[in-house]
Amino acid sequence: MSIKYVFITGGVLSSLGKGLASASIANLLENRGIKIAIIKLDPYLNIDPGTMSPFQHGEVYVTDDGAETDLDLGHYYRFTNSPLSKASNTTTGQVYDSVIKRERKGDYLGKTVQVIPHITDEIKNRILNCSKQEKNIQVVFVEIGGTVGDIESLPFLEAIRQFRNEREDDCINIHLTYVPYIKAAGEVKTKPTQHSVGMLREIGIIPDIILCRCENPLSKEQKDKISLFCNVSKNSVFDAVDVDHTIYEVPLLFHEQKLDLLICDLLKLKCGAINMQKWEKMVSSIINPKRKVKIGIVGKYIDHQDAYKSIFESLVHAAAYLNAELEIKKFESDKIVKNNSVASSIKGCDGYLIPGGFGERGLDGKVLSAKYAREKKLPYFGICLGMQVLAIEFAQNVLKLKDANSTEIDQDTKNPVISLLEEQKEVEKLGGTMRLGAYLCELKPNTKAYKAYKKKIIFERHRHRFEFNNEYKKAFEENGAIFSGTLKGDSLCEIIELKNHPFMLGVQFHPEFKSKPLEPHPLFVAFLEACLKKK
Ligand code: GLN
């Protein structure tokens, strides 16, 4: 049977949750026994989001093969078992880069290189490549970033129009739009949806399904109106209502409306029965927790909703697993300064998490928070920069090396406890040149890390340039630190934890990229367990 394609476009405005909708639908089809893959097409010119500020773009999600990708891939990972790799995220920058490289090689000799067909062919090839990541993929979901009507997403839309034209029976289009409730008028308005579908039709794309993001479920009349004006059948208009408690309710909401069955019908896909019991149970433990845990996150992009997306979700997964209600307190690290009492800024949490980050701003506040957690014996979980902070604080205050620092912050420090990776010393270009992707890490028995993972060998994903400087290893060990995880065959430090502390642990990698709601990450679970015990 030929591979089927589901294209997901967005209308009216951004931030409607297209990634979440795509991941939720894919989740349902997967549950019905269909093997899926997902690709995100991003219309910006950057090769990848790796060089963008978290304020611009939110989190950069990293795959095993070291691709720095859009945060929607994090949703795909959490909701599905789709293969995720470099082939799962394409940007306009990548598309033009390949076409122009080929042009310089002479591959188009004699021809004028144009958006149609050369750019659109390249986009179509990338969609096809996504389906080749693993054997037997039956359905490929293609999420098109941006909003219909944007100039920059036009080549992607034209490419999917052609793609469908070449495979009429194997493709469907789902359009996610916004149906606002206008308070003054006391009614919901379908006009923006009509306009955005109109715009899609102008470029030759006719949606098969319309998903309406709305505050409250739409009435039958409202759906019929959308069906009439947008030229889709009456049973093809669905609610994507704002969820009350958790994003993990979204697949259940779609399933209730039988969206998964309609998609299988339209694509003439044979599908098995669905069993959402485990998923429902997980959602129910998020909604009906038995106890409470309060976690402080000290970061410098804390005001940006999406900058620590995977970390927030990993905490949600672990809390659901432990049947605890999660309260997150966000602390802006550069507001934590010495002359304010640190305790008065951040006190009152059961544990503290310091996420990854770059550059000098806010580092002191993080070091002060680590000191607070260490001295008060409150659980501390440091991720990437958060592990480096643990090491800097330990060196400054336990080893009494007052100027200990990372060379990222102070190039001339006499005590560079964190310094540049050897392989990074020659690097000049910033894009795509960090230590990226999955590396094997060996755990030391009888450590907190080992107890959490319950195995010796783990693979975790990385995104950093600096590392713990092994010249300080002995002094650390003599003063109560354990290097509980190291790169196999090398002594590169991957995990540091402290003895005589309930949970003071830092990891150089990013465990948050590998947590799923039904498979919470062991370190997040161990951290929250320590926080709950502390209470
Ligand atoms: N800035 C640090 C480094 O490059 C940490 C990076 C991170 O937290 N992702 O090593």
Side-chain angles (χ1 to χ4, degrees):
M1 189 140 141
S2 51
I3 298 176
K4 310 287 181 181
Y5 297 86
V6 177
F7 298 110
I8 297 124
T9 52
V12 184
L13 41 90
S14 61
S15 303
L16 290 181
K18 225 182 316 137
L20 206 52
S22 310
S24 297
I25 300 170
N27 168 296
L28 294 174
L29 292 209
E30 200 172 74
N31 195 304
R32 288 187 175 278
I34 293 162
K35 190 161 164 66
I36 61 109
I38 315 190
I39 179 170
K40 170 91 193 271
L41 307 177
D42 275 310
Y44 50 75
L45 281 168
N46 303 57
I47 295 285
D48 61 43
T51 53
M52 280 187 232
S53 153
F55 286 121
Q56 285 270 315
H57 186 271
E59 161 186 290
V60 175
Y61 184 83
V62 180
T63 56
D64 277 343
D65 67 345
E68 297 177 271
T69 71
D70 185 72
L71 56 79
D72 275 335
L73 272 77
H75 289 310
Y76 305 164
Y77 183 84
R78 292 184 280 272
F79 281 75
T80 75
N81 296 308
S82 161
L84 288 178
S85 72
K86 289 195 166 86
S88 316
N89 191 192
T90 280
T91 67
T92 298
Q94 287 174 27
V95 171
Y96 275 79
D97 191 48
S98 340
V99 170
I100 289 170
K101 278 193 181 122
R102 242 177 280 136
E103 187 275 334
R104 289 291 82 183
K105 247 174 74 196
D107 286 3
Y108 304 106
L109 222 48
K111 293 204 188 84
T112 308
V113 182
Q114 293 177 299
V115 173
I116 305 171
H118 303 102
I119 293 295
T120 47
D121 279 353
E122 177 66 25
I123 296 170
K124 288 190 281 179
N125 278 333
R126 283 167 180 257
I127 295 173
L128 290 173
N129 272 343
C130 173
S131 71
K132 293 176 192 150
Q133 289 178 90
E134 277 175 18
K135 277 198 189 125
N136 305 324
I137 286 172
Q138 295 167 278
V139 178
V140 178
F141 287 81
V142 184
E143 181 194 341
I144 291 110
T147 309
V148 169
D150 295 345
I151 293 176
E152 48 178 23
S153 53
L154 275 175
F156 287 122
L157 295 172
E158 167 59 17
I160 66 167
R161 183 196 67 76
Q162 294 173 15
F163 200 97
R164 181 167 190 170
N165 205 24
E166 292 152 12
R167 297 169 186 76
E168 188 52 52
D169 295 335
D170 295 332
C171 300
I172 59 166
N173 292 308
I174 300 182
H175 189 56
L176 174 68
T177 127
Y178 183 48
V179 182
Y181 172 76
I182 305 296
K183 220 167 154 192
E187 55 181 316
V188 298
K189 292 290 181 190
T190 62
K191 192 70 78 188
T193 298
Q194 297 175 34
H195 280 304
S196 85
V197 171
M199 237 181 293
L200 263 184
R201 278 208 307 258
E202 253 171 51
I203 43 184
I205 295 175
I206 298 172
D208 300 276
I209 291 174
I210 298 188
L211 271 181
C212 305
R213 182 73 194 266
C214 45
E215 267 176 61
N216 294 301
L218 299 179
S219 67
K220 183 167 181 314
E221 290 70 35
Q222 287 155 348
K223 286 185 182 166
D224 287 352
K225 188 170 171 191
I226 292 173
S227 141
L228 176 69
F229 281 95
C230 298
N231 198 30
V232 297
S233 70
K234 282 189 178 168
N235 66 354
S236 298
V237 183
F238 291 82
D239 297 322
V241 188
D242 297 349
V243 284
D244 292 330
H245 305 278
T246 159
I247 53 170
Y248 300 106
E249 288 172 73
V250 177
L252 302 174
L253 286 175
F254 288 167
H255 175 57
E256 251 169 49
Q257 301 175 68
K258 302 195 172 67
L259 174 58
D260 44 329
L261 279 181
L262 177 66
I263 295 173
C264 293
D265 270 1
L266 290 173
L267 289 173
K268 298 187 184 65
L269 269 170
K270 268 203 213 113
C271 64
I274 195 163
N275 182 348
M276 296 299 282
Q277 254 176 10
K278 278 192 194 151
W279 197 269
E280 279 163 339
K281 202 171 153 236
M282 173 269 297
V283 168
S284 136
S285 45
I286 297 178
I287 300 177
N288 309 299
K290 303 230 162 20
R291 44 195 177 158
K292 227 179 151 166
V293 64
K294 191 164 159 186
I295 303 301
I297 301 190
V298 185
K300 71 174 191 182
Y301 316 111
I302 211 81
D303 276 342
H304 190 293
Q305 275 241 92
D306 287 337
Y308 305 114
K309 186 84 195 147
S310 294
I311 289 184
F312 291 142
E313 293 310 319
S314 303
L315 287 169
V316 169
H317 306 158
Y321 176 78
L322 297 169
N323 244 299
E325 180 185 343
L326 175 70
E327 188 188 341
I328 293 183
K329 295 274 290 176
K330 300 175 179 176
F331 301 106
E332 187 69 64
S333 52
D334 50 5
K335 301 226 171 86
I336 301 167
V337 281
K338 234 190 211 139
N339 28 10
N340 283 352
S341 142
V342 179
S344 68
S345 325
I346 64 168
K347 71 169 187 239
C349 297
D350 303 315
Y352 295 88
L353 189 151
I354 312 285
F358 296 84
E360 188 180 358
R361 185 174 72 79
L363 194 92
D364 291 345
K366 292 180 185 172
V367 173
L368 289 168
S369 309
K371 180 168 188 276
Y372 175 75
R374 183 178 53 77
E375 290 178 345
K376 299 279 180 229
K377 298 233 184 285
L378 290 165
Y380 172 102
F381 188 17
I383 294 180
C384 206
L385 181 68
M387 183 208 87
Q388 300 176 355
V389 164
L390 182 157
I392 294 169
E393 192 280 319
F394 190 85
Q396 287 181 356
N397 300 312
V398 178
L399 306 185
K400 306 284 181 218
L401 305 170
K402 284 293 161 216
D403 67 337
N405 213 331
S406 160
T407 53
E408 181 181 6
I409 315 298
D410 176 5
Q411 284 206 342
D412 305 317
T413 171
K414 287 201 197 67
N415 285 297
V417 278
I418 305 294
S419 59
L420 213 50
L421 283 164
E422 205 45 49
E423 73 219 33
Q424 285 288 336
K425 291 194 173 145
E426 308 299 311
V427 169
E428 282 175 3
K429 286 188 189 156
L430 289 186
T433 54
M434 281 186 257
R435 181 178 182 228
L436 288 167
Y439 285 89
L440 195 153
C441 168
E442 198 169 353
L443 301 181
K444 202 181 249 168
N446 293 321
T447 58
K448 290 198 178 74
Y450 186 90
K451 278 183 198 136
Y453 282 99
K454 298 182 184 67
K455 54 181 164 188
K456 210 171 159 199
I457 300 293
I458 55 162
F459 288 88
E460 292 284 4
R461 302 181 193 162
H462 295 251
R463 182 171 186 254
H464 64 113
R465 284 186 208 284
F466 296 82
E467 63 163 320
F468 180 78
N469 180 348
N470 278 330
E471 283 177 24
Y472 293 88
K473 196 169 178 179
K474 201 159 160 263
F476 266 64
E477 280 173 337
E478 284 169 0
N479 285 278
I482 311 173
F483 293 83
S484 49
T486 42
L487 177 71
K488 194 168 160 57
D490 193 311
S491 52
L492 210 58
C493 162
E494 302 282 22
I495 311 179
I496 309 179
E497 57 185 80
L498 299 193
K499 281 185 210 156
N500 307 321
H501 189 287
F503 191 95
M504 182 109 195
L505 183 143
V507 292
Q508 187 57 78
F509 46 80
H510 288 273
E512 73 273 25
F513 295 146
K514 289 181 72 174
S515 183
K516 288 175 184 265
L518 298 180
E519 294 158 46
H521 192 286
L523 288 179
F524 280 88
V525 173
F527 169 56
L528 287 197
E529 271 173 340
C531 296
L532 285 161
K533 219 182 259 170
K534 191 73 205 159
K535 267 179 99 82

